[in-house]
Amino acid sequence: MSCSVEVTKVLIAAASFEENRVESACSNLIECLRACDQLPDLEIARKVLDALRQHRHMSALKRLADNLVRLGCQADLVYRQYSQALIESGEPIAAIEMLQSLVRRVTPGAKEWNEAQGLLGRAYKQIYIDACGSKLGMAEGALEAAIAAYRQAFDSDPTQIWQGVNLVALLARAERDGVNIPDFPRRDSLIEGLRREIEQHWSAGTLEAWDYASAAELALARGDLAGVQRWLKEYLSAADIDAFKIAGTLRQFTEVWGLRADAGEEGAVVAVLRAALLRSRSGVLSLTPQQVQRTAKADVASFEKILGNIGVQTYWWVRTAMERARSVALICQPDGRGVGTGFLVRGRDLHEPLGDELFLLTNAHVVSDSPEQRGALRSDKASITFEATADSDRTARRHRVHEITWNSPPELLDTSLLRFVEPPIGIEPCPVSDSLPVTDEDQRVYVIGHPLGGELSFSLQDNRLLDHEGPTTGKPTVAGRVLLHYRAPTEPGSSGSPVFSADWDVIGLHHAGADFMPKLNGKEGTYGANEGIWIRSIKQAIASRCTG
């Protein structure tokens, strides 16, 4: 029995970034493999697992690898990919146990042995980073173990550039943190040897994306800022670049090297990587309030040097994104628990008679005084904070709600327009657009909100616009309400988030997400999607209510 059809479906689903489609395709593949009377084909396993990792479907990767092992596929690459998924899912201890077993049974110096050693280093490195300077438990020992893992792999094969560069980075981190590493290797000699290796590969034309990233990191270790920018330019234009790689490089520069986006040209490379991640097809970027502010202060020079002709344009695009993040608010209960998101709008942008007063727009199922909306927070109990405006040494100011100026129930427009007791000062409202983007494969929208009601993090998520009921061909199911559907269901707490066009104008109010959302405009089937209300539908309803 052949599973080639199911394999193809997984590969297509992985590239679509629709999680429910990926999970369903993987389930079908697993059932097909179970029905076979032979071990899963190793090349099929390699192809599918690589695709899931590349497109960052870590949950599906972990589940498929687990089932491959259960079905008798004991291949080293399956255990290695399984371990990768565990690390990316925040389970480094489980990954370490699996990787240590893999290292013991694989021939030292073999490809999978090198990969396993590198992932051991990655797992231990993450444990040290997550410890945030704590002296308890595995913290400092994890740093030493990470260095040992990378060193062992690099010593066995000095052509392993990425292993050597990770070794250099962690030795620098240990020195900066005052952590003593026994038998400390000389970083200068390591750096010089790696530099020669990279130059040889460059001359031969055999460098790939990860090599360019390693070269940029090595230039940083040498204090060669021009080299960092030159290599990152090659990296971000490499044929095999993807969101998984960009996220890893960004993590290395920020978590290991400690770069900050507002630290001149050196730190501005962080802002460039954040921009590249956000613009990639599966880019998800989470930032603390301080990171929002620092990214907004990044030096434009690095954008020009790394991104060339589109550098200045990208710089202002990122600056605008950070400015919009300042306008997004966390809505909390009296006990401080976050329950949803809202965003700042100017009254006349929704209805001219409302003038220049600033309001907060959110979902009715988040804040409402209607007795029919029992799960919503009452307006007199709501506390509103604009987290991205807070200084590093103090919390954001809490704002109270004076009244709900206008409301539409969840079954209609699911909207509440809140008037402040004292409107916020120094925060620009989000601009509103009456137009909708054309739906095509490359059309993106962006959501900025507070996933899980988190108080200290903003998530800027790239979503492909799947469909909408607007002009010219849309068919609204409810008169006066135009829905938008976009990719990747968001976490609870994102309700009330603004949905932005690629130009960072508000086109919708996010209110729901589901793994099996019915498609719009009479199309058959379901998909994993977010759902938002077109901002123009809200404007027209406000105008009708206020003039009727």
Side-chain angles (χ1 to χ4, degrees), residues 32-43:
C32 183
L33 293 171
R34 284 175 180 162
C36 291
D37 56 0
Q38 58 188 20
L39 291 176
D41 183 87
L42 186 56
E43 282 308 308

Side-chain angles (χ1 to χ4, degrees), residues 101-128:
S101 176
L102 184 58
V103 165
R104 284 193 296 268
R105 70 170 181 267
V106 177
T107 303
K111 182 181 184 300
E112 289 300 334
W113 184 88
N114 287 328
E115 293 285 349
Q117 281 291 142
L119 281 176
L120 263 179
R122 164 84 172 84
Y124 280 120
K125 175 174 65 176
Q126 198 61 52
I127 290 172
Y128 178 75

Side-chain angles (χ1 to χ4, degrees), residues 192-212:
E192 182 57 28
L194 287 164
R195 187 193 64 78
R196 289 195 300 268
E197 188 69 31
I198 287 171
E199 291 296 335
Q200 289 175 13
H201 282 274
W202 172 257
S203 299
T206 57
L207 290 177
E208 299 178 346
W210 278 128
D211 298 318
Y212 291 126

Side-chain angles (χ1 to χ4, degrees), residues 114 153-154 156-164 194 197 200-201 211:
N114 287 328
F154 184 66
S156 73
D157 182 3
T159 66
Q160 295 273 322
I161 296 172
W162 68 281
Q163 306 271 24
L194 287 164
E197 188 69 31
Q200 289 175 13
H201 282 274
D211 298 318

Side-chain angles (χ1 to χ4, degrees), residues 56-328:
R56 306 179 75 187
H57 299 293
M58 293 302 162
S59 175
L61 172 57
K62 186 166 58 173
R63 186 161 70 92
L64 181 57
D66 184 271
N67 276 276
L68 286 170
V69 172
R70 285 194 246 170
L71 290 168
C73 188
Q74 301 291 319
D76 299 332
L77 75 90
V78 174
Y79 282 100
R80 188 248 302 167
Q81 291 277 35
Y82 196 167
S83 303
Q84 177 87 68
L86 287 168
I87 296 169
E88 299 298 330
S89 302
E91 303 174 60
I93 299 300
I96 287 169
E97 292 292 326
M98 191 175 293
L99 289 165
Q100 286 175 336
S101 176
L102 184 58
V103 165
R104 284 193 296 268
R105 70 170 181 267
V106 177
T107 303
K111 182 181 184 300
E112 289 300 334
W113 184 88
N114 287 328
E115 293 285 349
Q117 281 291 142
L119 281 176
L120 263 179
R122 164 84 172 84
Y124 280 120
K125 175 174 65 176
Q126 198 61 52
I127 290 172
Y128 178 75
I129 295 297
D130 291 347
C132 300
S134 171
K135 304 291 185 181
L136 299 176
M138 297 178 65
E140 290 190 3
L143 178 59
E144 187 175 341
I147 290 172
Y150 285 124
R151 185 179 185 181
Q152 193 170 355
F154 184 66
D155 285 349
S156 73
D157 182 3
T159 66
Q160 295 273 322
I161 296 172
W162 68 281
Q163 306 271 24
V165 171
N166 269 289
L167 179 57
V168 168
L170 289 181
L171 289 173
R173 178 61 185 263
E175 186 175 353
R176 190 165 67 249
D177 290 354
V179 178
N180 180 49
I181 303 297
D183 191 22
F184 206 100
R186 286 184 57 82
R187 275 195 295 131
D188 291 345
S189 59
L190 283 173
I191 290 171
E192 182 57 28
L194 287 164
R195 187 193 64 78
R196 289 195 300 268
E197 188 69 31
I198 287 171
E199 291 296 335
Q200 289 175 13
H201 282 274
W202 172 257
S203 299
T206 57
L207 290 177
E208 299 178 346
W210 278 128
D211 298 318
Y212 291 126
S214 294
E217 198 173 340
L218 193 63
L220 179 63
R222 295 164 52 212
D224 177 12
L225 183 57
V228 175
Q229 294 166 337
R230 183 176 67 254
W231 287 115
L232 282 182
K233 184 173 184 177
E234 297 288 346
Y235 175 56
L236 294 176
S237 60
D240 59 330
I241 192 67
D242 56 46
F244 178 80
K245 294 183 178 71
I246 297 171
T249 302
L250 176 60
R251 183 175 58 241
Q252 187 78 351
F253 274 113
T254 54
E255 293 186 354
V256 179
W257 290 100
L259 295 189
R260 292 172 32 160
D262 60 345
E265 285 192 83
E266 182 183 83
V269 300
V270 171
V272 174
L273 288 169
R274 285 174 179 161
L277 182 59
L278 191 55
R279 284 196 153 177
S280 65
R281 288 195 66 197
S282 57
V284 179
L285 182 64
S286 295
L287 301 174
T288 66
Q290 285 69 48
Q291 288 172 332
V292 169
Q293 296 178 30
R294 291 167 186 164
T295 303
K297 296 175 183 177
D299 193 327
V300 68
S302 285
F303 280 82
E304 293 182 277
K305 292 174 181 176
I306 296 171
L307 299 176
N309 293 334
I310 65 167
V312 175
Q313 175 188 343
T314 303
Y315 170 77
W316 287 110
W317 185 81
V318 170
R319 283 287 303 269
T320 303
M322 298 304 105
E323 188 63 33
R324 296 294 182 267
R326 288 170 49 84
S327 306
V328 176

Side-chain angles (χ1 to χ4, degrees), residues 437-445 462-466 501-502:
V438 175
T439 54
D440 60 45
E441 281 294 318
D442 294 324
Q443 195 63 252
R444 312 290 180 82
V445 297
D462 166 34
N463 304 270
R464 182 166 69 83
L465 181 63
L466 298 171
S501 67

